[in-house]
Amino acid sequence: MSRNRGVVYVAPGKVEVRDIDDAKLQAPDGRRIEHAVILKVISTNICGSDQHMVRGRTTAAPGLVLGHEITGEVIEKGCDVEMLEIGDIVSVPFNVACGRCRTCKSQDTGVCLTVNPERAGGAYGYVDMGGWIGGQARYVTVPYADFNLLKLPDRDRALAKIRDLTMLSDILPTGFHGAMMAGVGVGSTVYVAGAGPVGLAAAASARILGAAVVMIGDFNPDRLAHAAKVGFEPIDLSKSDRLGDLVAQVIGTDEVDSAIDAVGFEARGHAGGEQPAIVLNQMMEITRAAGSIGIPGLYVTEDPGAVDKAAQQGSLSLRFGLGWAKAQSFHTGQTPVLKYNRQLMQAILHDRLPIADIVNARVIKLDDAPQGYETFDQGAATKFVLDPHDMLAAA
């Protein structure tokens, strides 16, 4: 194995590509684990949730190797791995899950009970998620490989669609989960908050689930223009502070069947200031009675950069009584990727879901990751895919 390099969080606003420890068949506490594999990373994506850490909006410590959206090739495996072979190309769910505990057995892999000693749920390269090394690197270790990894069909077919298949590790299942939890079905009217990659993935998921109309709200004109280009109804939030009125201009009524929050805790209001509960409150306002709200947008338990002390502890000013009065359903939490990734892989392979074009995927070199983070943070209508081994240009 050649020298490992990865994207490291250095300080708020700064990441660097550095030499990092070689991937080994071991857990964060140093124990050797024979249920793991080592992957040569083929593609690994920059995610909006990574940006929360890089902005200093979490308790992430400097030195953290980032990255939880990983696709790779198996180059080494432990003796307990039975269903994967050297050379297999696999998609890695961002959830680290054991496959054995109560929640994993019920497909709630986002809250595995054993992989993180501090709380339910584990992930690669993320604060408070178990210490698993991130995958924005040349090589990465994946535990419980037989359970976690989705083997992609033959190598040539996988590489031909790698820009799409790389989205299976997080944003496509996350968007799909948001749509499912919002109750989207044939003929649904849908509003998605946020025209970033997860919002676009949620909109694409709503469309494949049969929605009649899918609206996406944002302040960013470039992202709204791209959303319109790929077939969604853009809602320019700068036009009014009354979201229901903007929705009514599209569908003739100020309420929708299903709403999806793809923004999360760094939400901003019409006046431009940060209002961490604004999207959730708007969702309750514009969702019909007995409608559903899916919340794939990230909310944290600690936010050192929040606008007030309550929000710093994850306490938000929700108008929950409105949601209760309207008998709405809410669903939050980490997406259980394994619940959806195989079906979504088939949709990609059979040309039903051109997700790379929908999220405007752009491949860059691993060493260009700092510039990718900066550009993405400025609001680029782009999903950056890192290419650690210069394999994707040929693909």
Side-chain angles (χ1 to χ4, degrees):
M1 186 189 303
S2 62
R3 186 176 65 187
N4 202 6
R5 287 174 62 76
V7 181
V8 177
Y9 169 62
V10 177
K14 186 176 182 180
V15 300
E16 293 180 353
V17 179
R18 297 178 174 176
D19 292 344
I20 61 173
D21 291 342
D22 289 336
K24 301 179 180 68
L25 296 177
Q26 65 180 38
D29 62 7
R31 290 178 297 111
R32 183 173 174 85
I33 45 176
E34 297 293 349
H35 50 67
V37 299
I38 295 174
L39 300 183
K40 175 183 178 180
V41 177
I42 295 173
S43 64
T44 176
N45 316 328
I46 297 175
C47 180
S49 57
D50 296 322
Q51 292 283 19
H52 297 309
M53 292 186 289
V54 173
R55 293 187 192 116
R57 298 300 298 269
T58 72
T59 56
L64 179 70
V65 180
L66 299 169
H68 57 272
E69 301 190 14
I70 311 161
T71 306
E73 177 183 354
V74 178
I75 61 169
E76 185 178 341
K77 66 176 189 172
C79 63
D80 291 342
V81 178
E82 299 178 351
M83 301 176 69
L84 296 164
E85 302 297 338
I86 303 301
D88 286 346
I89 295 180
V90 294
S91 177
V92 185
F94 77 88
N95 321 111
V96 180
C98 72
R100 304 168 181 176
C101 69
R102 176 179 181 176
T103 54
C104 283
K105 287 181 177 180
S106 63
Q107 289 194 310
D108 293 316
T109 52
V111 282
C112 174
L113 301 176
T114 69
V115 296
N116 183 352
E118 303 300 324
R119 63 196 290 183
Y124 304 91
Y126 213 85
V127 61
D128 297 331
M129 296 300 282
W132 301 94
I133 303 301
Q136 286 175 12
R138 291 171 58 82
Y139 302 94
V140 70
T141 301
V142 177
Y144 302 105
D146 280 336
F147 178 71
N148 283 308
L149 294 178
L150 173 65
K151 180 181 174 180
L152 304 180
D154 83 41
R155 182 184 188 89
D156 290 343
R157 193 177 183 195
L159 289 176
K161 286 189 173 287
I162 196 68
R163 290 173 64 254
D164 298 286
L165 294 169
T166 192
M167 306 304 167
L168 289 173
S169 55
D170 182 358
I171 68 162
L172 181 54
T174 293
F176 193 82
H177 182 61
M180 290 288 289
M181 295 302 99
V184 177
V186 175
S188 296
T189 56
V190 181
Y191 175 78
V192 180
V198 171
L200 290 165
S205 299
R207 186 158 63 190
I208 203 170
L209 287 168
V213 60
V214 182
M215 295 163 279
I216 305 185
D218 208 302
F219 292 100
N220 184 316
D222 292 338
R223 289 184 170 183
L224 289 172
H226 179 72
K229 179 182 177 181
V230 294
F232 307 118
E233 294 287 343
I235 301 292
D236 186 349
L237 299 179
S238 69
K239 299 291 187 184
S240 174
D241 62 354
R242 298 180 62 84
L243 179 57
D245 291 348
L246 298 174
V247 167
Q249 291 174 17
V250 178
I251 61 173
T253 178
D254 59 4
E255 290 187 326
V256 297
D257 298 312
S258 305
I260 303 168
D261 173 4
V263 176
F265 72 101
E266 288 192 62
R268 294 186 175 275
H270 185 264
E274 194 166 298
Q275 299 178 49
I278 184 67
V279 172
L280 294 172
N281 286 325
Q282 287 178 334
M283 299 293 94
M284 289 185 277
E285 289 176 8
I286 67 156
T287 302
R288 66 171 174 83
S292 297
I293 301 169
I295 310 172
L298 177 65
Y299 289 86
V300 294
T301 55
E302 293 182 80
D303 174 10
V307 293
D308 57 53
K309 288 186 177 180
Q312 289 174 7
Q313 302 300 317
S315 296
L316 307 182
S317 298
L318 290 177
R319 195 183 173 197
F320 192 72
L322 176 62
W324 190 94
K326 295 174 77 172
Q328 293 168 338
S329 298
F330 303 77
H331 196 97
T332 67
Q334 304 272 0
T335 295
V337 172
L338 280 174
K339 199 170 191 175
Y340 309 110
N341 62 352
R342 186 175 299 276
Q343 303 95 302
L344 292 170
M345 175 186 73
Q346 295 287 16
I348 288 170
L349 292 173
H350 293 280
D351 299 319
R352 294 279 294 159
L353 197 49
I355 189 63
D357 290 339
I358 291 170
V359 301
N360 198 24
R362 177 184 167 193
V363 176
I364 62 175
K365 294 179 180 296
L366 179 67
D367 285 344
D368 293 333
Q371 182 60 50
Y373 268 92
E374 182 179 345
T375 303
F376 188 35
D377 193 46
Q378 292 170 354
T382 305
K383 175 70 172 176
F384 287 99
V385 178
L386 306 181
D387 181 6
H389 292 276
D390 298 325
M391 296 178 66
L392 302 192

